[in-house]
Amino acid sequence: MENNKNLRNWLNKMELAHPIVIAGPCSAETEEQVLKIAHQLKETDTTVLRAGIWKPRTRPGNFEGVGALGLKWLQKAKEETGLMTATEVANANHVDLALKHDVDILWVGARTTVSPFIVQEIADALKGTDKIVLIKNPVNPDLALWLGAVERFYESDVKNLGVIHRGFSTYEKTRYRNNPEWQIPIDLQNKFPDLPLILDPSHIAGRRDIIFDLCQTALDLNYDGLMVETHFDPDNAWSDASQQITPANLKQMTIDLRIRKQEGDAVEFKNKLNTLRTKIDVLDHQLIESLGKRMKIADNIGALKKKNNVAILQTKRWNEILGKMILEGEENQLSEEFILKIFKAIHQESINHQKKVIND
Ligand code: PEP
Ligand code: MN
């Protein structure tokens, strides 16, 4: 899969004046629910109605989807509103049923993308299709695995492809349900600028209050669209209740988001600058997070030294760190002067942390 411009054709053909919006409930629950949400979304910038029919749940005992019956509701919603429809497929049987019910966009879920066997089964079932296929990132932060899935579809002659960034799971609890790890989709975008990239802020956030900011970051990074879980009564949704927003919220959000226009030299300059600045913001955020983690480890070392009655400053260890970092700095085009400055500051902060632990 070289940098193939055809990959973007399906999106260009839609001739949208704004990034594509895919919205709808995490799960189709009842016919009334699907139809009501579809009609409400008709009044927003939404082009595609999403709804999960088969739900992959990490733990058993949660709602696992209504199954094939829900496909009829999606079909009816399309007839009544003209919205395109999208659902998740996780095996060849799902593909067969979705195609029979005229679903326009099939997406591969994060728990499926991790498995090359299942991805291949779905790619085989879709061989030569004109349908749009969107591939969510795998649950683990592995760009090659994500691209591997895209390549399997491409080799199966599925040309209308795109990817969905839904974040990556971590063992430690963070403010996100799934860590965005923006660097991964940014790397993907650099490698395949013509592969449409869509943000799923809902599964990254796991909560409503940070969805807007995630969407804004994605638009500033030139993403092609958003997939947002939307329900008229989010709190009572049968799955992912805490992260869904109402169609009215979605409408307001698309009004408030800064969407970049793509004409004129001055605008292009601003867009490019904005994209680069957002990349810097992402890295700065990672720097602060890494420094915070480093200081937590310093606290642990402080506690250990206290227990064993050892001095805070270990000159030999410190000189070893500096020597290593100067060499690594060189490999990354960072001057010795800069490395010395940064690491002296980090070391000082580390000592302060340890002192605090020891004196407490
Ligand atoms: C979903 O879109 O509802 C879903 C299950 O997503 P993911 O595969 O990203 O967890
Ligand atoms: Mn969901």
Side-chain angles (χ1 to χ4, degrees):
M1 188 192 62
E2 301 88 56
N3 273 344
N4 194 320
K5 292 220 180 311
N6 293 336
L7 290 169
R8 190 171 288 278
N9 275 353
W10 63 269
L11 194 55
N12 289 343
K13 273 195 216 135
M14 289 184 186
E15 293 184 348
L16 301 172
H18 50 73
I20 185 169
V21 179
I22 303 171
C26 176
S27 305
E29 299 166 1
T30 64
E31 180 170 339
E32 296 69 41
Q33 176 243 20
V34 171
L35 293 177
K36 185 166 169 186
I37 293 172
H39 281 278
Q40 289 180 348
L41 287 173
K42 187 69 192 145
E43 308 306 316
T44 70
D45 277 346
T46 303
T47 304
V48 184
L49 170 71
R50 65 147 280 157
I53 298 293
W54 302 281
K55 299 305 299 178
R57 308 315 305 189
T58 299
R59 308 277 303 269
N62 294 313
F63 177 58
E64 294 194 326
V66 291
L69 170 69
L71 292 168
K72 298 233 179 328
W73 309 337
L74 278 181
Q75 218 167 7
K76 195 160 175 195
K78 170 152 66 171
E79 266 168 37
E80 289 188 9
T81 63
L83 290 170
M84 294 170 78
T85 54
T87 201
E88 173 175 351
V89 289
N91 59 41
N93 183 42
H94 292 169
V95 168
D96 183 47
L97 287 163
L99 294 182
K100 280 192 178 121
H101 290 83
D102 235 9
V103 173
D104 300 294
I105 299 182
L106 311 175
W107 85 78
V108 176
R111 293 164 193 76
T112 304
T113 308
V114 290
S115 166
F117 284 135
I118 310 183
V119 169
Q120 192 59 54
E121 174 184 325
I122 300 171
D124 289 343
L126 279 165
K127 200 167 182 52
T129 186
D130 289 336
K131 294 281 177 186
I132 298 163
V133 178
L134 303 178
I135 299 154
K136 286 201 170 195
N137 66 254
V139 282
N140 51 323
D142 185 339
L143 178 57
L145 194 56
W146 196 3
L147 285 175
V150 176
E151 283 159 356
R152 283 179 198 278
F153 282 93
Y154 198 68
E155 278 164 20
S156 217
D157 208 22
V158 180
K159 291 275 177 356
N160 295 323
L161 290 171
V163 290
I164 301 176
H165 171 212
R166 53 77 79 191
F168 303 87
S169 75
T170 48
Y171 184 60
E172 47 184 319
K173 281 282 147 254
T174 66
R175 72 192 290 244
Y176 304 103
R177 176 177 176 194
N178 291 293
N179 237 350
E181 310 271 12
W182 292 102
Q183 200 53 47
I184 295 177
I186 289 173
D187 285 347
L188 177 134
Q189 216 179 19
N190 286 340
K191 253 180 149 159
F192 299 102
D194 289 304
L195 184 61
L197 172 59
I198 292 170
L199 180 81
D200 170 347
S202 312
H203 291 87
I204 292 178
R207 50 195 248 209
R208 286 184 260 284
D209 59 325
I210 54 176
I211 287 180
F212 180 89
D213 284 349
L214 287 166
C215 291
Q216 189 60 65
T217 299
L219 295 180
D220 289 339
L221 286 170
N222 251 337
Y223 277 46
D224 298 281
L226 306 169
M227 182 200 251
V228 186
E229 285 192 339
T230 318
H231 193 294
F232 55 80
D233 184 8
D235 284 338
N236 290 306
W238 296 4
S239 59
D240 289 351
S242 53
Q243 70 194 32
Q244 305 207 49
I245 61 172
T246 63
N249 288 150
L250 176 72
K251 186 166 184 171
Q252 191 55 47
M253 193 171 83
T254 54
I255 293 169
D256 295 340
L257 284 168
R258 272 178 288 117
I259 296 180
R260 319 127 116 281
K261 304 203 177 54
Q262 288 164 347
E263 320 118 36
D265 284 352
V267 179
E268 188 159 325
F269 162 73
K270 264 192 145 168
N271 282 351
K272 283 197 174 136
L273 190 63
N274 218 353
T275 302
L276 293 172
R277 283 182 170 159
T278 308
K279 288 182 181 176
I280 293 237
D281 291 348
V282 167
L283 291 173
D284 282 348
H285 168 77
Q286 286 172 357
L287 277 177
I288 295 291
E289 244 184 20
S290 295
L291 287 172
K293 281 185 192 157
R294 194 190 192 283
M295 294 310 153
K296 285 218 175 75
I297 297 179
D299 290 340
N300 293 339
I301 292 186
L304 201 64
K305 284 180 180 167
K306 182 178 185 178
K307 204 167 155 213
N308 291 279
N309 221 359
V310 174
I312 292 184
L313 187 62
Q314 305 279 316
T315 316
K316 185 163 160 270
R317 161 82 179 145
W318 167 233
N319 284 333
E320 276 169 13
I321 294 184
L322 263 191
K324 235 175 23 193
M325 288 304 108
I326 289 171
L327 283 180
E328 279 192 30
E330 247 170 53
E331 283 166 19
N332 286 283
Q333 281 80 49
L334 302 170
S335 71
E336 179 171 340
E337 185 198 351
F338 176 64
I339 296 288
L340 282 174
K341 265 194 210 150
I342 286 202
F343 273 87
K344 275 188 186 149
I346 292 178
H347 189 229
Q348 188 55 55
E349 181 71 8
S350 204
I351 288 177
N352 295 347
H353 269 254
Q354 294 191 27
K355 269 192 189 148
K356 193 160 179 290
V357 172
I358 289 180
N359 295 332
D360 263 356

